[in-house]
Amino acid sequence: MKKVLATTMATLLFGLSFPVNTFALPDNDVSANSQVLEKVSLPNGGDSSQSEAGADNKAKEDTIAKKIEGKLEAKDITVWQNDTVNWKDGVKLKEDNAEFKNYLEEASVTDLDNRNTNNSNTDTNDDRAFKGKLKITFKDKSVIEIADQKLYVTSKMTNINNSKAPKNAVDVKLQLGEGVKDSNGTIGQKDNPVEYGSYRIKPGVNILNEEHPQIKNSLFNLVKLQVSDPEKYVDPQWSSGSANKKDFVVSKDNNIFTATASKLFTMTFKFVGYDRDSRKSIEFDKLPQAIKDKLPQEQKIKEGEAFEPNKFEDTIKENSGEIKYEWKFKDWNPTKSVSVSENKNFEGIWTRSKIEENPNPEVKPGPGKEEDKKERPEKENKPKDNSKAEDKKEIPEKENKPKDNSKAEDKKEKPQEENKPKDNSRVEDNKNNKKSNNTFPRIKSNENKSSSNKVYTRTSTKETKKESKTENLSKTPKYTLTINSGEYEVLINGQVIKRQMDVKPLIKNDRLMLPLRSLAEMIGAKVEWDPQTRTAIFTNKGLVAKIQIDGNEIVLSNGKVIKMDSKPLNINGRILLPISNVANVFGLTNGNTKDGIDQNIEWDGDNKTVEINLNK
């Protein structure tokens, strides 16, 4: 091969043909590729060694690194503390070139200075960057190094003006709302909260529970929050702007947090009296001192909390000269508040009635009764009584009928057969039955008064009912509601008490909606409220009905589930329920005044009123 090469070279250079051995190259262990050839004059003035060097230079110019050299520059990297760094983010093209962009995307980039993110360097917004050199290795294994690349590491929270914070940092604002002030005395506002501080925070950080020193000591130092007025506010707390007020995880949509205090409302109490005999109210200053001493002190209740005055059963005896009275505590009006949102006054009602020292002397056991009976026949042997007896004897003679004669005989024989004092008194009573006022001697004057109190004085249409039915009606109140005003009247024992609901009733889907507590009172049910499950629990005659106010079902303790026509409503913090659905659960009927049927709940469409009477 060597000889052929030499012959070929000679032929090409000199146009001559020589024997092969004339240009034979040395045959030794050194390769011709690693050895520099002797200079030979080439037609173009070059030599063989220059040709090989030119090939090498051309190969170098064909690498990616040579092509892209001078087109790259270092780029700052911003990351959160302890995050992993993508070092390729530290290199960028100086100009937009699709080919070079593709080279860079396929390259790998490493840090030659072994920098990490264990410590932050931007909390105070300074320029203490971690500087280093990056090595870029392209697909063809060619390499470029770039110096002075800067790494900025930010902790979970930094200053709002820190431009070196990571791009996904959330700008968070803290502000002071109603009822609070900070340690500097800055007082918050309800409608225009005062800015307390602004920060740039890592997404996903729970700023209230975060153990980061800066967040814990600076951002949410609850000790520094105070109420602006201890008489009006209590319990300063932070809340978020999300639907869940206790969500303190930072996100793009949850980045405003406000400190507010709960408002305090005053619950006051008043006692009034009612005289059952005169049916008149009695002012507080005229009540017995023993009742006045029981008046509760005013209380402060946090906004939104339920409040119910302490109930007690008590009886007070009063000796007012010749007349003795008995006072009984009836109830509070209103009985409770489901969700306090204003100052309230609770009025406690005491009813007064006279005490009869000897209410029924005629029925007392003793010898006096026998004496009275013995004396009756003797006192009544007057001509008037004899004439009556003669009249009775003469009746059968005039009519001459056998039947009448037998009656006459009976009448003649009764006095003779029943000669005992007890029997004689009965004879006299029978004789005077039509004219005597002593037919029902055990009815007293005060009992007549009590009976008259049991009759409804307002409903003329009910006057023809039996007395036993009327008496039952008096034991349970009757309610008359005026829908448009939210006012209602309570009629019990002839007394009319006017009350006002916290919110007006309304009609939805042809169903009358009443406030929860008022509804329970009117249908005679006990109601409880479970704030955790937002459930109203009605109990009446052993049956329990549960209503979750976010749904439309009534779940009964007997396993039944009833669908309501209208879902519960929440108006100004008051829960309204359809009266017909709830009432029907406990066996109450409903209708209107024009259907001719006597119902427990009746609707008067003309006057926009509802009557609720549980005794029908």
Side-chain angles (χ1 to χ4, degrees):
M1 182 67 185
K2 295 177 180 179
K3 294 177 180 181
V4 173
L5 177 60
T7 303
T8 303
M9 291 292 294
T11 303
L12 291 173
L13 293 173
F14 305 106
L16 300 175
S17 177
F18 295 97
V20 174
N21 291 335
T22 305
F23 288 95
L25 297 177
D27 189 5
N28 53 35
D29 295 333
V30 181
S31 171
N33 290 330
S34 61
Q35 186 177 6
V36 179
L37 300 176
E38 295 181 2
K39 291 185 179 181
V40 179
S41 297
L42 299 176
N44 58 3
D47 55 36
S48 61
S49 62
Q50 290 177 340
S51 177
E52 290 180 3
D56 290 341
N57 291 333
K58 184 177 182 181
K60 289 181 179 179
E61 290 177 357
D62 289 340
T63 62
I64 298 175
K66 191 64 176 179
K67 290 180 180 180
I68 206 170
E69 186 178 8
K71 306 297 184 182
L72 298 176
E73 63 182 351
K75 178 184 176 183
D76 295 344
I77 295 178
T78 60
V79 294
W80 297 107
Q81 188 174 351
N82 296 322
D83 280 359
T84 301
V85 180
N86 182 4
W87 293 108
K88 190 179 287 189
D89 293 337
V91 181
K92 68 176 181 178
L93 289 167
K94 293 181 179 180
E95 59 184 39
D96 189 14
N97 184 296
E99 180 183 4
F100 294 163
K101 183 178 180 182
N102 185 55
Y103 290 153
L104 186 58
E105 288 178 353
E106 293 176 343
S108 62
V109 182
T110 57
D111 177 39
L112 295 177
D113 294 301
N114 296 320
R115 292 171 291 174
N116 60 56
T117 61
N118 295 337
N119 298 308
S120 64
N121 60 1
T122 66
D123 286 344
T124 56
N125 194 25
D126 62 12
D127 197 28
R128 295 183 300 170
F130 299 136
K131 297 180 181 180
K133 183 184 291 185
L134 298 181
K135 177 183 177 181
I136 308 166
T137 303
F138 297 101
K139 188 176 181 180
D140 64 352
K141 306 304 180 183
S142 58
V143 174
I144 289 180
E145 293 183 359
I146 295 182
D148 295 329
Q149 192 279 326
K150 297 178 181 179
L151 174 66
Y152 293 94
V153 181
T154 305
S155 64
K156 295 178 180 179
M157 184 190 83
T158 186
N159 191 284
I160 189 66
N161 298 316
N162 186 357
S163 61
K164 299 302 181 181
K167 292 181 179 180
N168 65 342
V170 178
D171 290 349
V172 173
K173 180 188 293 186
L174 275 69
Q175 52 192 20
L176 302 178
E178 181 181 16
V180 298
K181 65 179 180 180
D182 63 10
S183 56
N184 297 323
T186 304
I187 297 177
Q189 301 294 328
K190 179 180 180 181
D191 298 325
N192 297 301
V194 179
E195 185 172 332
Y196 177 73
S198 296
Y199 306 87
R200 308 198 79 186
I201 299 178
K202 182 179 180 179
V205 169
N206 187 325
I207 55 179
L208 186 63
N209 301 323
E210 184 61 42
E211 290 299 325
H212 186 281
Q214 191 174 359
I215 295 177
K216 188 173 183 179
N217 297 328
S218 301
L219 189 59
F220 278 115
N221 192 339
L222 297 179
V223 178
K224 294 182 179 180
L225 285 180
Q226 307 170 29
V227 294
S228 58
D229 186 347
E231 291 296 318
K232 296 182 179 180
Y233 299 97
V234 68
D235 194 16
Q237 291 187 6
W238 292 97
S239 63
S240 67
S242 65
N244 179 7
K245 299 298 183 183
K246 299 303 179 182
D247 180 10
F248 294 98
V249 177
V250 171
S251 68
K252 183 179 179 182
D253 299 322
N254 190 33
N255 61 339
I256 297 178
F257 302 91
T258 306
T260 57
S262 296
K263 197 170 184 179
L264 289 176
F265 292 103
T266 304
M267 305 293 107
T268 55
F269 307 90
K270 177 184 178 181
F271 280 154
V272 295
Y274 175 75
D275 186 83
R276 297 181 62 181
D277 297 322
S278 64
R279 301 182 185 179
K280 293 182 179 180
S281 299
I282 302 172
E283 295 300 324
F284 177 79
D285 57 353
K286 295 182 180 180
L287 297 177
Q289 187 61 42
I291 293 179
K292 295 179 181 179
D293 293 341
K294 293 181 177 294
L295 187 67
Q297 298 294 319
E298 70 175 36
Q299 298 182 39
K300 299 285 187 179
I301 303 298
K302 189 164 64 173
E303 183 176 15
E305 291 187 350
F307 177 76
E308 182 175 355
N310 292 331
K311 291 187 176 181
F312 57 90
E313 295 182 4
D314 206 349
T315 301
I316 301 294
K317 304 290 185 180
E318 179 191 11
N319 190 349
S320 179
E322 298 179 355
I323 303 176
K324 293 183 178 179
Y325 294 103
E326 180 181 76
W327 294 84
K328 288 187 176 182
F329 181 76
K330 184 179 179 182
D331 206 348
W332 293 100
N333 178 33
T335 57
K336 61 186 68 177
S337 178
V338 177
S339 179
V340 173
S341 60
E342 60 183 352
N343 296 329
K344 276 188 175 294
N345 181 65
F346 292 85
E347 187 175 272
I349 302 173
W350 291 80
T351 59
R352 183 180 76 174
S353 57
K354 291 180 181 178
I355 301 175
E356 296 291 340
E357 294 185 1
N358 192 9
N360 193 6
E362 298 171 356
V363 299
K364 287 184 178 181
K369 293 170 104 176
E370 297 299 326
E371 294 298 325
D372 291 341
K373 291 179 180 178
K374 291 178 181 178
E375 293 176 357
R376 278 182 184 176
E378 297 176 4
K379 291 181 179 180
E380 294 176 355
N381 287 328
K382 295 180 181 180
K384 181 178 179 181
D385 296 331
N386 292 334
S387 63
K388 289 181 180 179
E390 293 300 324
D391 291 339
K392 292 179 180 179
K393 293 178 181 179
E394 292 175 358
I395 289 175
E397 296 176 358
K398 293 180 180 180
E399 296 179 355
N400 293 324
K401 294 181 181 180
K403 184 177 181 180
D404 294 332
N405 290 336
S406 63
K407 288 181 179 179
E409 292 298 325
D410 291 340
K411 292 177 181 178
K412 291 178 182 179
E413 292 173 357
K414 280 182 180 179
Q416 298 174 359
E417 292 175 359
E418 300 173 353
N419 290 325
K420 296 179 182 180
K422 180 178 179 180
D423 295 330
N424 288 338
S425 65
R426 288 180 179 174
V427 172
E428 295 300 323
D429 287 342
N430 289 335
K431 289 180 180 180
N432 299 326
N433 189 35
K434 294 182 180 180
K435 296 182 180 180
S436 174
N437 291 326
N438 296 324
T439 305
F440 304 100
R442 290 181 175 82
I443 296 181
K444 308 183 296 300
S445 61
N446 65 330
E447 288 180 343
N448 282 325
K449 289 182 180 179
S450 175
S451 177
S452 63
N453 286 341
K454 294 180 180 180
V455 180
Y456 280 103
T457 59
R458 301 186 40 165
T459 33
S460 60
T461 59
K462 304 295 188 296
E463 292 176 356
T464 59
K465 292 188 175 183
K466 293 181 180 180
E467 184 177 354
S468 60
K469 178 71 173 179
T470 307
E471 289 178 356
N472 289 333
L473 285 172
S474 67
K475 296 177 182 178
T476 304
K478 183 179 76 172
Y479 298 86
T480 303
L481 292 76
T482 304
I483 302 304
N484 293 335
S485 67
E487 183 181 78
Y488 65 100
E489 296 180 352
V490 185
L491 176 63
I492 181 171
N493 292 330
Q495 178 192 0
V496 178
I497 302 174
K498 290 188 177 182
R499 295 179 180 175
Q500 182 73 36
M501 297 184 188
D502 294 335
V503 295
K504 293 181 181 180
L506 56 84
I507 297 174
K508 182 180 180 183
N509 298 335
D510 294 329
R511 290 292 178 265
L512 174 62
M513 311 289 285
L514 292 186
L516 181 92
R517 297 290 174 179
S518 300
L519 171 58
E521 176 188 1
M522 294 174 186
I523 67 173
K526 176 185 175 183
V527 67
E528 298 176 88
W529 171 250
D530 185 347
Q532 299 298 324
T533 60
R534 293 167 58 81
T535 301
I537 305 170
F538 290 86
T539 305
N540 188 12
K541 298 179 181 179
L543 183 63
V544 179
K546 295 184 178 181
I547 304 174
Q548 209 284 331
I549 65 167
D550 299 313
N552 65 338
E553 292 182 344
I554 304 177
V555 180
L556 305 182
S557 56
N558 59 14
K560 293 183 179 180
V561 178
I562 299 174
K563 293 282 186 180
M564 291 187 290
D565 301 316
S566 297
K567 289 185 178 181
L569 301 176
N570 188 338
I571 299 178
N572 296 332
R574 299 294 187 270
I575 306 303
L576 279 71
L577 297 172
I579 182 173
S580 59
N581 292 145
V582 180
N584 289 345
V585 169
F586 299 108
L588 302 179
T589 59
N590 62 85
N592 59 70
T593 55
K594 297 180 180 180
D595 59 14
I597 303 174
D598 210 9
Q599 311 277 16
N600 296 118
I601 304 171
E602 293 191 346
W603 165 250
D604 185 344
D606 295 335
N607 298 315
K608 294 293 186 294
T609 60
V610 175
E611 181 181 290
I612 302 175
N613 191 344
L614 305 188
N615 291 285
K616 292 183 178 181

